[in-house]
Amino acid sequence: PNGEVYDSDDSDDASDGADATDAQIRERNARRKATQKAAFDESYDDEKKGAAAAAVSTPDEKTEAEYADALRREREQRSARNAAEFGDGGTGAGRERHEGLRQGTYCRVVIRGADAAFVAGYDPGRPLVLGGLLPQETEAGLVRCRLKKHRWHRRVLKCNDPLIFSVGWRRFQSIPVYSTEDQNGRHRYLKYTPEHMHCYATFYAPMIPPNTGVLAVQYMTGNLSGFRIAATGVTLENNASFEVVKKLKLVGTPTKIFKNTAYISGMFNSDLEVNRFGGASIRTVSGVRGQVKKSANAGQPGAFRATFEDKILMSDIVFCRTWMPVDIKQYYNPVTTMGGER
């Protein structure tokens, strides 16, 4: 009567709506919306695919688009198989067996071989974090990290002084060796950490993934005044051995002097050491440069013949500058704070 025209479906729905309940009306409306949404999605996807196909111009882009479509189809098929197998909201034992526990699910964990002191001193009100380690993280070796003394820490750190490191899941005590890298790639030994710059620290510990944060403290007691964090850094690499060298000055005195040749003793202990340092550069305190030639057949063990740029004096002291490797102590002590008062 108002000039409105209804389709046959709408007229049927209107005629049925007089006798239908509210639940039936809502169900019919939901089916109609789902049908319209599916038709819209299909037309929208077709238009989008057509626009993407028109925009794709190079073979690489076509291959990439086909690969993305294949991945999307595979994901949809996997979701359909999961829904058919477990249901949309299934939480049965079969789903947990295949997918594991979902986030937010309560579970019970059995810890075997726990220490008796841990059980006796455990506080239920204190959170306990459970974590896992990769197989390669259970092996021990040398770890090199880039370390910097914290600017609020009062004292500089001395080499071979034990530190307590907190790295990832672990907290342990180890003995670091500090070094700095020269232009030729050599790691030179440092007795103390620099004041306002980074240095390298090498210590013995379980293998740690690179780019892992490192925090170091000297003491764990709670009655110390001042700032306790000694240093912070990041791990760089792991290896079975690292080369850290320090300067070594060998000193000798001349026993016989000729024009540009002299016999030196007191610098080496055996002829084997002389042969090992053959061709090494030496110099006197007055600045005359020379070179190690051969071991002397007679005289004190370790005596050798050397040549110099000029004639030296009997009062001159001859020295040889060299480098010697530094031993890194293999010390690792895990810190346990949950095992009672330890």
Side-chain angles (χ1 to χ4, degrees):
N2 296 330
E4 298 179 355
V5 179
Y6 295 94
D7 294 337
S8 60
D9 296 339
D10 295 338
S11 61
D12 295 340
D13 294 342
S15 61
D16 295 340
D19 300 332
T21 61
D22 293 342
Q24 294 175 350
I25 293 174
R26 284 196 295 269
E27 184 180 358
R28 184 172 62 248
N29 293 337
R31 288 199 304 268
R32 182 186 301 172
K33 288 182 180 180
T35 304
Q36 294 176 354
K37 185 177 183 301
F40 173 77
D41 291 343
E42 185 177 358
S43 62
Y44 180 77
D45 292 341
D46 293 340
E47 293 176 359
K48 192 173 182 181
K49 289 180 181 178
V56 171
S57 58
T58 62
D60 294 340
E61 293 177 350
K62 291 181 180 179
T63 305
E64 185 176 355
E66 293 175 357
Y67 180 70
D69 293 339
L71 289 180
R72 181 177 55 81
R73 288 193 298 269
E74 183 181 355
R75 183 174 65 252
E76 293 175 354
Q77 293 174 2
R78 189 185 306 112
S79 300
R81 288 197 303 268
N82 291 339
E85 179 69 24
F86 305 112
D88 294 335
T91 58
R95 191 181 191 96
E96 293 180 356
R97 183 172 61 252
H98 288 85
E99 293 186 353
L101 296 176
R102 291 187 171 185
Q103 295 181 357
T105 305
Y106 287 96
C107 63
R108 176 176 294 175
V109 180
V110 179
I111 302 177
R112 303 186 185 278
D115 192 2
F118 170 78
V119 179
Y122 176 65
D123 182 12
R126 184 175 181 180
L128 181 64
V129 180
L130 298 180
L133 296 173
L134 298 176
Q136 60 270 21
E137 294 180 0
T138 58
E139 299 178 359
L142 296 181
V143 180
R144 174 169 287 172
C145 67
R146 185 170 59 246
L147 200 72
K148 183 179 180 181
K149 184 192 77 70
H150 202 283
R151 61 178 181 174
W152 291 350
H153 194 68
R154 295 182 178 180
R155 299 179 180 179
V156 295
L157 305 178
K158 186 179 179 182
C159 186
N160 287 328
D161 275 357
L163 284 180
I164 299 173
F165 294 93
S166 178
V167 186
W169 294 106
R170 300 181 184 272
R171 188 159 51 174
F172 56 90
Q173 187 181 36
S174 187
I175 299 178
V177 173
Y178 305 119
S179 62
T180 182
E181 188 176 6
D182 295 336
Q183 294 182 354
N184 56 2
R186 176 176 54 212
H187 282 265
R188 179 164 45 88
Y189 171 85
L190 293 177
K191 190 174 182 180
Y192 299 96
T193 55
E195 203 46 64
H196 301 291
M197 61 180 294
H198 290 86
C199 68
Y200 292 94
T202 307
F203 53 89
Y204 183 79
M207 296 298 179
I208 302 171
N211 297 326
T212 303
V214 177
L215 187 142
V217 296
Q218 283 188 320
Y219 306 102
M220 291 292 293
T221 55
N223 56 357
L224 292 177
S225 62
F227 198 73
R228 291 194 300 173
I229 298 178
T232 56
V234 61
T235 59
L236 298 178
E237 52 183 337
N238 305 305
N239 205 338
S241 62
F242 284 111
E243 185 177 3
V244 180
V245 295
K246 66 177 181 180
K247 291 182 179 179
L248 177 64
K249 183 183 288 187
L250 303 176
V251 180
T253 55
T255 55
K256 292 182 181 180
I257 298 175
F258 299 98
K259 186 176 181 181
N260 288 339
T261 305
Y263 285 92
I264 310 298
S265 62
M267 185 176 293
F268 303 112
N269 296 324
S270 63
D271 295 341
L272 182 61
E273 294 183 2
V274 176
N275 296 331
R276 185 178 180 182
F277 281 84
S281 299
I282 57 177
R283 62 181 302 178
T284 63
V285 178
S286 58
V288 181
R289 294 177 296 183
Q291 189 178 22
V292 177
K293 290 299 183 181
K294 291 180 63 177
S295 60
N297 296 329
Q300 183 179 354
F304 62 93
R305 181 173 60 87
T307 58
F308 295 90
E309 296 176 338
D310 197 1
K311 186 175 181 180
I312 64 174
L313 303 176
M314 291 293 293
S315 59
D316 282 336
I317 298 176
V318 183
F319 59 89
C320 176
R321 288 180 177 176
T322 183
W323 300 90
M324 66 171 296
V326 178
D327 293 333
I328 301 173
K329 298 180 181 179
Q330 295 188 359
Y331 175 76
Y332 170 74
N333 181 24
V335 176
T336 57
T337 56
M338 296 296 296
E341 297 297 331
R342 284 196 282 172

